[in-house]
Structures are given as structure tokens and as C-alpha cells.
Amino acid sequence: MGVDIFTQGKTLDELMKNINDAVELHFEENIEAGEEITVVSLTEFQVGSVAKISGC
């Protein structure tokens, strides 16, 4: 904890790959030294502007 790494992807699969790549690049020296890196992620979803609330 204490390190913010931001990335994005068009699909969930692309996002997960990009997260893995970003973490590997950021912690390259730690990983090469044999340290295990645990990723904790928070996910935010954007709702398109076409979403509307209809009245009763």
C-alpha cells in the first residue's frame, strides 16, 4: 500500500493485462529481487451520458 498506479483498458481483460504490466514495470527491481507483489485494486465504472432516469 502507499503506491498509486493508474491505468485503463477498453475491456476488463485489457485492463487486467495493463494493471499487471504497470505493476511489473513499477516494481521491476523488487520482483527481480524475489519479492512478491500483491495488488489491491479499486474499480470505478463510468456510465454513459445516454443513461437517464425516467419519472413515474
Side-chain angles (χ1 to χ4, degrees), residues 32-53:
E32 288 175 357
E35 292 181 40
E36 281 191 29
I37 304 298
T38 301
V39 174
V40 176
S41 67
L42 300 175
T43 305
E44 180 179 318
F45 292 93
Q46 182 175 13
V47 177
S49 61
V50 296
K52 297 180 182 178
I53 298 175

Side-chain angles (χ1 to χ4, degrees), residues 5-23 41 43 45:
I5 299 174
F6 297 89
T7 189
Q8 61 186 18
K10 290 183 180 181
T11 66
L12 185 56
D13 288 338
E14 182 181 348
L15 174 60
M16 296 309 293
K17 180 188 178 308
N18 291 348
I19 289 171
N20 189 64
D21 291 347
V23 170
S41 67
T43 305
F45 292 93

